[in-house]
Amino acid sequence: MEQNNTWIQTLSLTPPTLQDNTADADRLAGELSRILTGQVQPHLVKTELHLLRRLPDLLRKWEYHVRCVLFRDHDHWVLTGITHAEDARPVTGLAIDLGTTRVVLRLVELSSGQALGESSFDNPQITVAPDILARIHHTDTEGGLAELSDLIIHGLNEQIASLCKSCDIIPDDIYLLSLAGNTAMTHLFMGLNPRWIIREPYIPVVNTPGLVKADELGIRVNPLARMLIFPNVGSYFGGDLIAGILFSGMNTAEETAILVDVGTNAEVVLGNKNWLIACAGAAGPALEGGVTRMGMMAGPGAIDKVIIDPKTRHFDIHTIGDVQPKGICGSGLIDLAAHLFLSGMVDIRGRLLPSACDGCLKQKDGVWHLVVIPAAASATGEDLTISQIDLDSLIRSKAAMYTILETIASSVGMALSELSTFYVAGTFGSFINPISAISIGMIPDLPLTAYQSLGNSSLGGATLALTSADCMEEISSIRDRITYLELNVNQEFMNRFSAAKFLPHTTPSLFPSVRVRG
Amino acid sequence: MEQNNTWIQTLSLTPPTLQDNTADADRLAGELSRILTGQVQPHLVKTELHLLRRLPDLLRKWEYHVRCVLFRDHDHWVLTGITHAEDARPVTGLAIDLGTTRVVLRLVELSSGQALGESSFDNPQITVAPDILARIHHTDTEGGLAELSDLIIHGLNEQIASLCKSCDIIPDDIYLLSLAGNTAMTHLFMGLNPRWIIREPYIPVVNTPGLVKADELGIRVNPLARMLIFPNVGSYFGGDLIAGILFSGMNTAEETAILVDVGTNAEVVLGNKNWLIACAGAAGPALEGGVTRMGMMAGPGAIDKVIIDPKTRHFDIHTIGDVQPKGICGSGLIDLAAHLFLSGMVDIRGRLLPSACDGCLKQKDGVWHLVVIPAAASATGEDLTISQIDLDSLIRSKAAMYTILETIASSVGMALSELSTFYVAGTFGSFINPISAISIGMIPDLPLTAYQSLGNSSLGGATLALTSADCMEEISSIRDRITYLELNVNQEFMNRFSAAKFLPHTTPSLFPSVRVRG
């Protein structure tokens, strides 16, 4: 078996003799420390009581030829598992992306780094409260914190059991875990009181939880297993983003890149190997498709792509699963807005132009609605429409996003055009069409090659922590290097925001590639 | 309250603000690390989940004014307790001397270092097997290890509860513990398999257990409490001796000293601040009073002092508790042998001289017995006698002891006369009369001021670990510096032993102070 991962060490100890009577645990820890650091320093490798009690029998049974699983906790290592060197059972780790809405698990074979399987489930806390704020408020009720904590722990345990089953292993084969989530979800998972996260001055219980025994958390895997809980920078910049930065690699690059994760908030990180600056702001709901009447999460029947022929104004619509449309998701909405603008059906303020929309406009309660899909063609049996109010909301969101990007860049004296790479994280990033997002001025007018979609970067970062031992230091270093920029909604911000409320912008020279052909 | 002990830190944290939003745990750990190391390094102070869950409420209730209890584990600290800075409840630690026969506890108020109380009890494992070897063999039986482990854990828990009660505290007030015992007793206490301690090549499970959660060991004190388990050098040089060395201070002295602990084995350490050399050998049983027919442990009715007038040969006898004699303990036996020799009642080979013993000798099965206490004066109603066989045995023991001392000194090219200090540990050391021990040539003929009795040095060292944070490094350093000298019973050893079988020695010039007046 190839040994790529330094969390796994296969070694043959020199058996004890009268001349070399070092104890079993110290013999093992000494040799491990020598391999890991070049020096025999047994105190750097911790062996817990539970393992000490079995160690002498195991070492003798295996004739001192062993495979060890280690995990690093700052200046020392913890021995989280030991097997015979030639044991055929896989040694695995589990990466967890703990989302507010969705939780994703990835099981990894540790010595090869290969993913054995993946599964996901709705965060069961949704049954108690849909969003972060409501969940935190729920912890103020009697037993509320325990209830939310138990829900996610039990949910994870069930999911782990079934993922293991489908991969033909048992939970005892899991020796390392990593978990990346936002600060609030991480707190609820650990049973920590999140009360002060949402109250000024917005203080988490802990920034750097480090390694915790899975057993102590109630997670049913190998009893020796440790879980790395990704650190946060504060209440509004969580471990999921640290994991995302790690996954992007921007933290080790010479050139300055930006990473954008769009959820309920837009979270933005700008930086390179020398510095990292981060901020977050409300920009998301409209972009996620959450605020329009026809909006929906990405899923079967959601319109995810729209093209409007600028001459014929014919709508070319694509839905997820190629079924009858029943709503529109974020990427579809951005496509739609971009093409309405490019084909001249809305003006630079985003106003629907009756003269250009032919028979597609209907007025309802004094507000213009554009019929995207007529009732006859929709899955709901009703017109799927987008209203002027929806468009206004989308424009505020895209303006907020662009303003945040401009603000963070200008805080370090950069123009957005200087960016080498623009990472987009999350499912939003996977589906959005950058040309459309540029067309409405939501993101800067960079060469298309600059845009990189990271997919589930939180899960990706969590996986790296399991498969590459070097990441451990990098995670701490990312956290410690990040400067969090408080977005002050001052006059300058408002000026930028106002300028960004046009399509694509009041300064068209910022978007040279955008040409309205209507 | 005076703050002598760096395990206790009283501090006022700067409360969080919008500009300083460090999390609660990191804020506390950062400030503690600053106090302890001069630098803000929150990862150096570990706060476990159980405490994290209560921390935000506690910090706010106490307005960030707290008293913290810490314990050091090599390169980091563990937060084992937190109270309001002005809390009146005492913060205490418990030192344990885990003897094969007797277990001694000392409760210490941590900030002052003052002992609150002490108690002791028989090691309850005695009910299963009297000595180390028998206990280790008992672990080969089904459930034997668990039985022995449970006995001592339950015994300690009961004793802790009653000691706390008598000191008007509760077990929850105990935040730090330290335990010093021989390697086998420490293994049984931790539930570690001691099987290979007594089988060639004599390998313990662990040399350096470090800090262990008291809770994980089953010890009922504060759930956050940690126990320092003194390290061992090998199967035959345990944590009790490391504690003894620490307590003596020989490890930091310029001049070379020797430390002797006489139990079943004689354990000897020679050294100074630069080097330490140790060995152990069978020398004890006769000295402990364990092998003579009238021998007994020190206790009421035991003859502990004997003086024989060299002219009148009148016996002046003292017993513990000033009651009728029922036996003789180690110190009494050494006195007796010394005075028999000094008064000319035995010759330089230790043979009873009928001509000099007047009517005190009786022959039984062809062996001379000296009546020390006639039946009429003894508590048993029978003569208390010492036989030629008993004397021969004592002389072999004293010769073994002296030979061990000579061997260890000569291993570093020293003569015993060069020693600045001769520490004698244990109850044996507390009661022995050095003049008598010198007279029979058991210990070297040093000025009386060189002899220092340490009392229970194992408990003393364990106490130091609780009251002086500097000791932590010193304990590791002592362990790592000790060279263990294997006593090879070769021709040179046998020559020394033969020479030492005389009273005081075949070379009387080694004992210039000893003058036979008989």
Side-chain angles (χ1 to χ4, degrees):
Chain A
M1 199 175 293
E2 216 181 328
Q3 196 158 317
N4 298 316
N5 186 340
T6 51
W7 294 141
I8 311 264
Q9 295 292 344
T10 301
L11 61 159
S12 288
L13 296 172
T14 312
T17 60
L18 278 175
Q19 286 69 48
D20 170 17
N21 70 341
T22 301
D24 291 334
D26 300 71
R27 177 175 303 269
L28 180 60
E31 179 61 9
L32 285 168
S33 67
R34 195 191 59 74
I35 295 170
L36 295 164
T37 72
Q39 282 187 303
V40 178
Q41 297 178 289
H43 73 269
L44 292 183
V45 179
K46 312 279 180 202
T47 311
E48 72 174 82
L49 197 56
H50 182 82
L51 182 51
L52 280 182
R53 288 180 176 155
R54 292 157 52 228
L55 194 62
D57 286 338
L58 296 179
L59 286 183
R60 283 163 185 78
K61 187 169 78 180
W62 296 331
E63 296 176 319
Y64 300 93
H65 195 42
V66 294
R67 175 175 61 172
C68 294
V69 193
L70 299 149
F71 217 4
R72 187 165 185 175
D73 197 1
H74 288 280
D75 14 36
H76 64 268
W77 284 261
V78 184
L79 189 58
T80 69
I82 185 165
T83 71
H84 183 265
E86 260 97 50
D87 195 321
R89 289 211 66 77
V91 168
T92 72
L94 183 75
I96 302 170
D97 164 38
L98 177 62
T100 308
T101 310
R102 196 89 186 146
V103 182
V104 192
L105 282 67
R106 181 182 289 158
L107 194 64
V108 181
E109 202 281 312
L110 287 176
S111 58
S112 65
Q114 208 184 332
L116 298 178
E118 231 177 274
S119 72
S120 66
F121 65 111
D122 284 338
N123 188 326
Q125 295 169 342
I126 290 173
T127 57
V128 173
D131 58 48
I132 294 182
L133 207 63
R135 288 184 212 171
I136 294 180
H137 283 305
H138 186 72
T139 65
D140 285 334
T141 64
E142 177 77 23
L145 174 56
E147 183 189 358
L148 288 171
S149 179
D150 288 352
L151 276 172
I152 185 63
I153 298 293
H154 293 156
L156 277 168
N157 281 334
E158 275 181 24
Q159 199 72 15
I160 290 168
S162 73
L163 177 58
C164 284
K165 208 169 174 185
S166 73
C167 295
D168 210 19
I169 68 159
I170 54 171
D172 251 32
D173 297 327
I174 301 176
Y175 295 91
L176 308 183
L177 300 96
S178 60
L179 177 137
N182 65 48
T183 306
M185 287 309 110
T186 303
H187 273 53
L188 294 177
F189 167 76
M190 293 176 74
L192 303 180
N193 190 338
R195 184 181 166 77
W196 287 277
I197 285 184
I198 54 163
R199 289 169 169 87
E200 205 181 311
Y202 315 111
I203 305 299
V205 176
V206 62
N207 291 133
T208 54
L211 295 195
V212 184
K213 280 184 79 165
D215 185 58
E216 215 173 320
L217 291 161
I219 295 295
R220 289 197 294 270
V221 289
N222 191 291
L224 293 171
R226 292 293 190 285
M227 181 182 281
L228 168 74
I229 297 175
F230 270 74
N232 61 68
V233 177
S235 293
Y236 296 109
F237 197 95
D240 49 350
L241 296 163
I242 306 274
I245 295 169
L246 178 74
F247 185 62
S248 76
M250 63 187 286
N251 52 300
T252 57
E254 279 292 342
E255 297 200 312
T256 303
I258 202 162
L259 185 155
V260 176
D261 193 344
V262 181
T264 312
N265 275 332
E267 281 137 346
V268 179
V269 186
L270 179 74
N272 53 41
K273 66 171 193 173
N274 297 312
W275 51 267
L276 292 163
I277 184 161
C279 69
L287 304 181
E288 264 195 322
V291 296
T292 63
R293 276 194 60 231
M294 68 181 276
M296 63 179 285
M297 302 287 292
I303 298 169
D304 63 341
K305 284 182 194 137
V306 178
I307 295 171
I308 303 175
D309 186 300
K311 282 184 191 128
T312 64
R313 287 180 181 140
H314 170 76
F315 281 54
D316 187 0
I317 302 281
H318 179 262
T319 62
I320 297 177
D322 275 320
V323 295
Q324 276 203 316
K326 55 180 180 186
I328 193 164
C329 67
S331 62
L333 189 64
I334 289 167
D335 266 8
L336 178 60
H339 282 269
L340 287 174
F341 172 58
L342 294 175
S343 62
M345 295 169 76
V346 301
D347 66 12
I348 60 160
R349 296 177 176 217
R351 287 196 207 125
L352 288 161
L353 298 173
S355 60
C357 292
D358 306 331
C360 294
L361 285 195
K362 288 183 179 176
Q363 203 155 21
K364 219 155 91 184
D365 303 328
V367 177
W368 285 117
H369 285 67
L370 174 83
V371 180
V372 180
I373 304 290
S378 92
T380 63
E382 289 180 23
D383 286 346
L384 298 183
T385 65
I386 184 160
S387 72
Q388 186 59 57
I389 293 170
D390 295 336
L391 279 171
D392 292 350
S393 164
L394 174 66
I395 285 173
R396 277 196 303 279
S397 284
K398 80 94 186 171
M401 168 66 90
Y402 192 77
T403 307
I404 292 169
L405 298 177
E406 264 198 325
T407 304
I408 195 168
S410 80
S411 77
V412 293
M414 274 185 83
L416 288 171
S417 57
E418 295 172 58
L419 291 172
S420 66
T421 313
F422 194 111
Y423 294 108
V424 194
T427 45
F428 178 78
S430 308
F431 297 107
I432 194 182
N433 179 346
I435 302 177
S436 297
I438 292 170
S439 298
I440 61 168
M442 182 177 118
I443 56 179
D445 194 1
L446 298 171
L448 285 183
T449 52
Y451 285 96
Q452 288 195 27
S453 165
L454 294 174
N456 188 339
S457 57
S458 171
L459 187 65
T463 306
L464 277 178
L466 301 179
T467 53
S468 162
D470 303 333
C471 287
M472 226 47 156
E473 259 176 85
E474 207 46 52
I475 291 166
S476 296
S477 148
I478 291 170
R479 200 211 83 86
D480 294 345
R481 271 191 291 152
I482 289 179
T483 308
Y484 192 77
L485 180 71
E486 209 55 64
L487 281 182
N488 292 312
V489 181
N490 54 21
Q491 195 52 51
E492 193 182 1
F493 187 91
M494 288 314 295
N495 290 347
R496 285 203 178 101
F497 181 66
S498 299
K501 281 206 296 192
F502 289 78
L503 293 176
H505 197 271
T506 44
T507 311
S509 64
L510 288 172
F511 291 85
S513 78
V514 182
R515 297 268 182 280
V516 180
R517 303 168 199 174
Chain B
M1 197 176 292
E2 215 181 330
Q3 196 158 318
N4 297 317
N5 187 342
T6 51
W7 295 140
I8 311 263
Q9 295 292 344
T10 302
L11 60 159
S12 288
L13 296 172
T14 313
T17 60
L18 278 175
Q19 285 69 46
D20 169 17
N21 70 341
T22 301
D24 291 334
D26 300 71
R27 177 174 303 269
L28 180 61
E31 178 61 7
L32 285 169
S33 66
R34 196 191 60 73
I35 294 170
L36 294 164
T37 71
Q39 282 188 303
V40 177
Q41 296 177 289
H43 73 269
L44 291 183
V45 179
K46 312 280 180 202
T47 311
E48 72 175 83
L49 196 56
H50 182 84
L51 181 51
L52 280 181
R53 287 179 175 153
R54 293 157 52 228
L55 194 63
D57 286 337
L58 296 179
L59 286 183
R60 284 162 184 79
K61 187 169 79 180
W62 296 332
E63 295 176 319
Y64 301 93
H65 195 43
V66 293
R67 175 175 60 171
C68 293
V69 193
L70 297 149
F71 216 6
R72 185 164 187 176
D73 197 2
H74 288 280
D75 14 37
H76 64 270
W77 283 261
V78 183
L79 189 58
T80 69
I82 185 165
T83 70
H84 184 265
E86 260 98 50
D87 195 320
R89 289 211 66 78
V91 169
T92 72
L94 183 74
I96 302 170
D97 164 38
L98 178 60
T100 308
T101 312
R102 196 88 184 145
V103 183
V104 192
L105 281 67
R106 181 183 289 157
L107 194 64
V108 180
E109 201 281 311
L110 287 176
S111 59
S112 65
Q114 208 184 334
L116 298 178
E118 231 177 273
S119 72
S120 66
F121 64 110
D122 284 338
N123 188 325
Q125 295 169 342
I126 290 173
T127 57
V128 173
D131 58 50
I132 294 181
L133 206 63
R135 288 185 212 170
I136 294 180
H137 283 306
H138 187 73
T139 65
D140 284 336
T141 63
E142 178 77 24
L145 174 56
E147 183 189 359
L148 288 171
S149 178
D150 288 353
L151 276 171
I152 185 61
I153 298 293
H154 292 155
L156 278 168
N157 282 333
E158 275 181 25
Q159 198 72 13
I160 290 168
S162 73
L163 178 59
C164 284
K165 208 168 175 185
S166 73
C167 295
D168 211 19
I169 68 159
I170 55 172
D172 252 32
D173 295 328
I174 301 176
Y175 296 91
L176 307 184
L177 300 97
S178 60
L179 177 136
N182 64 49
T183 306
M185 288 309 109
T186 304
H187 273 53
L188 295 177
F189 167 76
M190 294 176 74
L192 303 181
N193 190 339
R195 183 183 168 77
W196 288 278
I197 285 184
I198 53 163
R199 288 170 170 87
E200 203 178 315
Y202 315 112
I203 305 300
V205 177
V206 62
N207 291 134
T208 55
L211 295 195
V212 183
K213 281 186 78 166
D215 186 57
E216 214 172 319
L217 291 161
I219 295 293
R220 288 198 294 270
V221 289
N222 192 291
L224 293 171
R226 290 295 191 284
M227 181 183 280
L228 168 74
I229 297 174
F230 271 73
N232 62 67
V233 178
S235 292
Y236 297 108
F237 197 95
D240 48 349
L241 295 164
I242 306 275
I245 295 169
L246 179 74
F247 185 64
S248 77
M250 63 188 285
N251 53 301
T252 57
E254 279 293 342
E255 297 199 312
T256 303
I258 202 162
L259 185 155
V260 176
D261 193 345
V262 181
T264 311
N265 275 332
E267 280 136 349
V268 178
V269 186
L270 179 75
N272 52 42
K273 66 172 193 173
N274 297 313
W275 52 267
L276 292 164
I277 184 162
C279 70
L287 306 181
E288 263 194 322
V291 295
T292 64
R293 277 194 60 230
M294 69 181 275
M296 64 179 283
M297 302 288 293
I303 298 169
D304 63 340
K305 283 180 194 141
V306 178
I307 295 172
I308 304 175
D309 186 300
K311 283 186 188 122
T312 64
R313 290 184 178 138
H314 169 78
F315 281 54
D316 188 1
I317 302 283
H318 179 263
T319 62
I320 297 176
D322 274 321
V323 295
Q324 275 203 317
K326 56 181 179 185
I328 192 163
C329 68
S331 62
L333 189 63
I334 288 166
D335 267 7
L336 177 61
H339 281 269
L340 286 175
F341 173 58
L342 295 175
S343 61
M345 295 168 77
V346 301
D347 65 13
I348 60 162
R349 298 181 173 209
R351 287 195 208 125
L352 288 161
L353 298 172
S355 59
C357 292
D358 305 329
C360 294
L361 285 193
K362 286 184 177 175
Q363 203 154 22
K364 219 156 92 184
D365 303 328
V367 177
W368 285 117
H369 284 65
L370 176 81
V371 179
V372 180
I373 304 289
S378 92
T380 62
E382 288 180 23
D383 286 345
L384 298 183
T385 65
I386 183 162
S387 71
Q388 186 59 56
I389 295 169
D390 295 336
L391 279 171
D392 292 349
S393 165
L394 174 66
I395 286 174
R396 275 194 306 276
S397 284
K398 81 92 188 172
M401 167 67 90
Y402 191 77
T403 307
I404 293 169
L405 298 177
E406 264 198 326
T407 303
I408 195 168
S410 80
S411 77
V412 293
M414 274 185 84
L416 288 170
S417 57
E418 294 172 57
L419 292 171
S420 67
T421 313
F422 195 109
Y423 293 108
V424 194
T427 44
F428 179 77
S430 308
F431 296 109
I432 194 181
N433 179 346
I435 302 177
S436 296
I438 293 171
S439 297
I440 61 168
M442 183 177 119
I443 56 178
D445 194 1
L446 298 171
L448 287 184
T449 51
Y451 284 96
Q452 287 194 27
S453 166
L454 294 174
N456 189 338
S457 57
S458 170
L459 187 65
T463 307
L464 277 177
L466 301 178
T467 53
S468 162
D470 303 333
C471 287
M472 226 45 156
E473 259 176 83
E474 206 46 52
I475 292 166
S476 296
S477 147
I478 291 171
R479 199 211 85 85
D480 293 346
R481 270 191 292 152
I482 288 181
T483 308
Y484 192 78
L485 180 71
E486 209 56 65
L487 281 183
N488 291 312
V489 182
N490 54 21
Q491 194 54 50
E492 193 182 1
F493 187 92
M494 286 317 293
N495 290 347
R496 284 204 179 100
F497 181 66
S498 299
K501 282 205 296 190
F502 288 78
L503 294 177
H505 197 271
T506 41
T507 312
S509 64
L510 289 171
F511 291 84
S513 78
V514 182
R515 295 269 180 280
V516 181
R517 302 168 200 176

